[in-house]
Amino acid sequence: MQSIKRQEAPLFEEAITKNFGVLPSTRYQGSKYKILEWIDYYTKDLSFDSVLDAFGGTGCVGYMFKRNGKQVIYNDYLRFNYYIGLALIENKNTTLNDHDLDFILKKHHKIIYPSFVSETFRDIYFTDEENKWLDMVITNIRNMDDQYKQAMAYYALFQSCIIKRPYNLFHRKNLYIRMAEVERSFGNKKTWDTPFEDHFLKFAREANDAVFDNSRENKAFHSDTFDLDIPDVDLIYIDTPYISARGVGVNYFDFYHFLEGIIFYDEWPRLIDEKSKHKRIKNGKGEWCNRGEIHGAFERLFNKFRKSMMVVSYRDDGTPTIPQLVNMLGKHKSTVEVKKLDYKYVLSNGNSKEVLIIAK
C-alpha cells in the first residue's frame, strides 16, 4: 500500500481506548481493512449520526463507524456475512468463554454428527481429517442456543477456513497446491498446515477482543439492498461488487460459496452445482456482476437512498466510470466530491486508484 502523505490524518488505530474493541484482521477479497485510515479521514467530519453499511462484507467499515460512536446498520446479501455483522456490529457484550470453546471443539455422545463435508468435498479444499473436523464443529455451532455466541463461533470458523486456503478463496479445486512438496513463490505452508483448532482458537480470541458496546442500538440485516426496509439514516456507505472497464466482475458468491454452504448446512446438498468440479453453490449472477445491468443498478440504488448522504467506495477503472457515477449522484445531490488513493489490491494486475465519492 502506498503511504498516505496527509500528515494531519490521524491513524485509525490511535482511536483505540479501553472502552473500544480491537478490529480483527481479515483476508477477505476486496476488504477495505487496509485503507480504513483513509476512509475515516474523509468521513469523520461529515455531519451524521446514523449510517447504513449497505454491502457490509467483512464489517470493517461498519465497525470503524461503530467505534466512532455512530449508530450502525449492517447489511449484506450473503448469509455468512450477516453472521459477521451480528458478531462484530450488533453484538454488544457477548463473548465465547472456555466452556463454549470446549463445547464447540469436542464430540458429544448426545449429538448425531453428519458427514456431508467429508463425503462431498474430499480432495477439493481440505484434507480428510480437516473435513471431519468441519462436520463436527459446524454441527456443534448449530447446537448453540445464543445467537451472538453462535455468530462469534461462525466468525472464527470462517476465518479459519479462509486462512487455510491458497489465495484465501474457494474458487477452484486446488488442495494439491497445499499438499505438494515444492518450492513456492506465494502462500504460507506453515499456516496451511497449522491445525484447524489452533486457528479457530486464535480467531475466537480476536473476535472476543472486538466486542464492545458503543451505547447505540446497532443492527445487522441479511437482505438484497433494494429490498432493505429500514428507517432513513443520515449516511449510506456503498461498496458494491466491482466490474472492471474490461467487463470482468467480482462475484463474492463464487469466491466464498463454501462459507455460505456452512450456514445452509441442511440445505447444502440441493444447492450444489454438480457440474462444478469444486462443488460450488448454484447462484444467479445479479445486476452487480452484469455489465449490461450495473448502470441501472447504480441509478436505482442512488434513487433509493437519495434522502441520505452517500459515500461510495470505488476504483477509477470501473464500470460505470467515475464521471458516470458523479453524474448519477448529481441528480440527487448538490455536492459530489471525488477523492483518490494509490492502492494495489492483492491478486490485482492493474494499477488502479481507490476512489471515494462523497455526495451530500
Side-chain angles (χ1 to χ4, degrees):
M1 174 178 174
Q2 182 171 325
S3 61
I4 301 174
K5 297 181 179 180
R6 295 180 178 274
Q7 299 299 318
E8 68 271 28
L11 289 174
F12 179 63
E13 288 77 6
E14 291 176 356
I16 297 175
T17 74
K18 64 181 180 179
N19 297 318
F20 288 169
V22 179
L23 177 63
S25 60
T26 180
R27 291 149 194 85
Y28 197 79
Q29 180 85 351
S31 172
K32 297 301 185 288
Y33 179 84
K34 292 185 178 180
I35 59 172
L36 283 176
E37 172 191 341
W38 181 68
I39 297 172
D40 185 45
Y41 178 77
Y42 282 113
T43 58
K44 64 184 174 64
D45 292 330
L46 298 176
S47 179
F48 68 102
D49 188 58
S50 57
V51 56
L52 166 65
D53 189 356
F55 299 81
T58 61
C60 65
V61 174
Y63 191 89
M64 177 194 77
F65 288 129
K66 181 179 178 180
R67 286 211 317 206
N68 288 346
K70 311 300 182 183
Q71 180 185 18
V72 181
I73 297 174
Y74 169 102
N75 178 67
D76 199 277
Y77 178 72
L78 290 171
R79 184 75 175 182
F80 88 89
N81 276 340
Y82 161 74
Y83 279 90
I84 294 175
L86 271 182
L88 301 183
I89 306 297
E90 183 173 323
N91 181 17
K92 292 184 176 183
N93 49 34
T94 300
T95 56
L96 295 172
N97 57 37
D98 289 342
H99 174 76
D100 299 321
L101 295 171
D102 186 65
F103 175 80
I104 293 166
L105 296 173
K106 290 184 178 179
K107 274 196 171 183
H108 307 281
H109 69 276
K110 293 184 178 180
I111 297 177
I112 298 174
Y113 291 93
S115 54
F116 174 76
V117 173
S118 303
E119 294 172 358
T120 307
F121 294 97
R122 186 174 185 181
D123 297 327
I124 294 180
Y125 301 123
F126 304 109
T127 67
D128 290 349
E129 286 303 310
E130 289 169 345
N131 286 333
K132 291 177 183 176
W133 185 91
L134 285 168
D135 278 320
M136 178 192 73
V137 168
I138 293 167
T139 302
N140 287 342
I141 293 174
R142 283 160 50 83
N143 276 275
M144 299 177 77
D145 294 328
D146 187 297
Q147 68 166 342
Y148 296 120
K149 285 183 181 289
Q150 193 177 58
M152 297 282 284
Y154 275 134
Y155 172 84
L157 181 60
F158 298 153
Q159 294 299 318
S160 301
C161 288
I162 290 172
I163 202 172
K164 286 176 70 69
R165 290 289 304 137
Y167 309 106
N168 305 129
L169 301 173
F170 299 86
H171 62 315
R172 61 173 65 109
K173 177 181 178 179
N174 58 4
L175 177 62
Y176 67 89
I177 293 178
R178 267 185 56 188
M179 309 309 294
E181 294 296 335
V182 296
E183 289 189 16
R184 295 173 172 82
S185 60
F186 74 96
N188 186 331
K189 184 167 174 55
K190 181 179 179 181
T191 298
W192 294 340
D193 292 344
T194 297
F196 253 122
E197 182 168 321
D198 292 358
H199 284 309
F200 185 90
L201 290 171
K202 171 183 178 291
F203 289 118
R205 286 193 296 269
E206 285 193 6
N208 279 347
D209 289 342
V211 175
F212 77 103
D213 183 0
N214 73 342
S215 300
R216 309 302 297 270
E217 289 300 319
N218 307 300
K219 294 292 294 181
F221 290 93
H222 163 238
S223 174
D224 184 304
T225 309
F226 293 115
D227 298 329
L228 192 61
D229 184 16
I230 59 171
D232 291 340
V233 295
D234 300 326
L235 184 143
I236 313 295
Y237 175 74
I238 297 168
D239 183 17
T240 69
Y242 166 77
I243 296 182
S244 72
R246 293 180 291 116
V248 179
V250 175
N251 190 325
Y252 292 101
F253 200 105
D254 284 348
F255 283 173
Y256 299 106
H257 62 91
F258 187 84
L259 306 184
E260 191 77 346
I262 287 174
I263 297 301
F264 290 98
Y265 191 88
D266 286 341
E267 296 84 16
W268 208 345
R270 64 178 177 80
L271 299 177
I272 288 179
D273 179 1
E274 294 297 343
K275 297 178 182 178
S276 165
K277 291 182 179 179
H278 59 294
K279 304 290 185 181
R280 71 177 184 90
I281 291 177
K282 292 175 287 190
N283 72 96
K285 296 183 183 295
E287 57 264 84
W288 300 111
C289 300
N290 187 312
R291 190 176 187 180
E293 297 179 16
I294 194 168
H295 290 75
F298 271 111
E299 291 274 21
R300 289 170 57 209
L301 187 70
F302 295 157
N303 181 65
K304 178 179 175 67
F305 296 118
R306 62 189 181 278
K307 295 180 181 179
S308 304
M309 276 188 291
M310 288 179 272
V311 175
V312 183
S313 276
Y314 206 64
R315 287 165 65 176
D316 69 350
D317 62 346
T319 300
T321 65
I322 298 299
Q324 286 172 329
L325 289 178
V326 169
N327 181 61
M328 293 179 197
L329 287 164
K331 297 175 183 178
H332 308 289
K333 298 297 176 183
S334 58
T335 302
V336 182
E337 300 176 289
V338 178
K339 311 295 181 183
K340 290 189 178 183
L341 172 71
D342 285 323
Y343 178 72
K344 181 177 175 60
Y345 282 98
V346 177
L347 302 183
S348 172
N349 295 321
N351 189 32
S352 61
K353 289 182 171 61
E354 183 71 20
V355 174
L356 206 63
I357 308 173
I358 302 169
K360 52 186 178 179

